[in-house]
Amino acid sequence: MTWRPSRHLTVIGLVLIVATSVISAACAQDVPSRPERFYHERFCAGLDLKIRLGLQRRADCISPTHAIEVDWHDKWKEAIGQALAYSAETELRPGIVLVCRSDQAYCLSSSLFVRQTLSHHGVAATLWDCLPIDETLDDCTRWEIAG
């Protein structure tokens, strides 16, 4: 079979339209606005919560391997700083859980900035990109940054 640019481009275009529609429909679900604490509890379920690390510092949650900060995608810079501070004090790998509360394109770019920043500085960490409809960390997209 010979490759025909117009036919293949049409198929690719249709696939992209369908994929975009499915993603938009999934994200357009009526997800009630929740406070940040709601997501701390949701994504830290089964982990140690609000662990006091010292003066004025509490990690959102601690796993056997990670000191984790849970925050919104638009607060990614703060999340990096907090996760690094928790990691320095606990000697655990920094973990960042970012919850998308705006359009997905913005959240995807924030995620990319986190990964680029940590990689540039040689920081090994784990990033979870979460949507409000995700129930657990396992439902979120997980990125391992090698550092």
Side-chain angles (χ1 to χ4, degrees), residues 2-141:
T2 306
W3 183 76
R4 294 183 182 155
S6 60
R7 182 177 179 204
H8 284 49
L9 292 177
T10 302
V11 171
I12 291 170
L14 288 173
V15 169
L16 288 174
I17 290 169
V18 170
T20 303
S21 298
V22 169
I23 291 170
S24 295
C27 295
Q29 292 178 1
D30 190 18
V31 178
S33 179
R34 307 261 188 190
E36 191 176 313
R37 184 178 62 206
F38 173 85
Y39 296 105
H40 290 186
E41 292 170 2
R42 173 180 277 184
F43 296 124
C44 292
L47 305 176
D48 293 329
L49 299 171
K50 292 289 183 187
I51 304 303
R52 183 175 298 281
L53 299 176
L55 289 176
Q56 302 177 4
R57 281 191 312 280
R58 289 185 184 183
D60 289 338
C61 51
I62 301 286
S63 79
T65 56
H66 291 81
I68 300 171
E69 168 66 9
V70 178
D71 220 327
W72 305 112
H73 267 87
D74 54 299
K75 294 173 70 179
W76 66 269
K77 294 173 192 169
E78 292 174 37
I80 289 174
Q82 290 175 301
L84 291 176
Y86 304 158
S87 175
E89 193 150 344
T90 62
E91 297 186 17
L92 296 171
R93 183 179 178 101
I96 300 170
V97 174
L98 293 180
V99 182
C100 187
R101 66 174 169 179
S102 58
D103 80 62
Q104 265 196 309
Y106 178 84
C107 296
L108 290 173
S109 66
S110 298
S111 172
L112 179 60
F113 290 141
V114 170
R115 290 178 276 139
Q116 287 176 333
T117 300
L118 294 171
S119 290
H120 175 78
H121 292 286
V123 177
T126 304
L127 168 66
W128 290 269
D129 283 321
C130 301
L131 296 172
I133 59 173
D134 292 334
E135 293 292 325
T136 68
L137 277 183
D138 290 337
D139 298 328
C140 302
T141 301

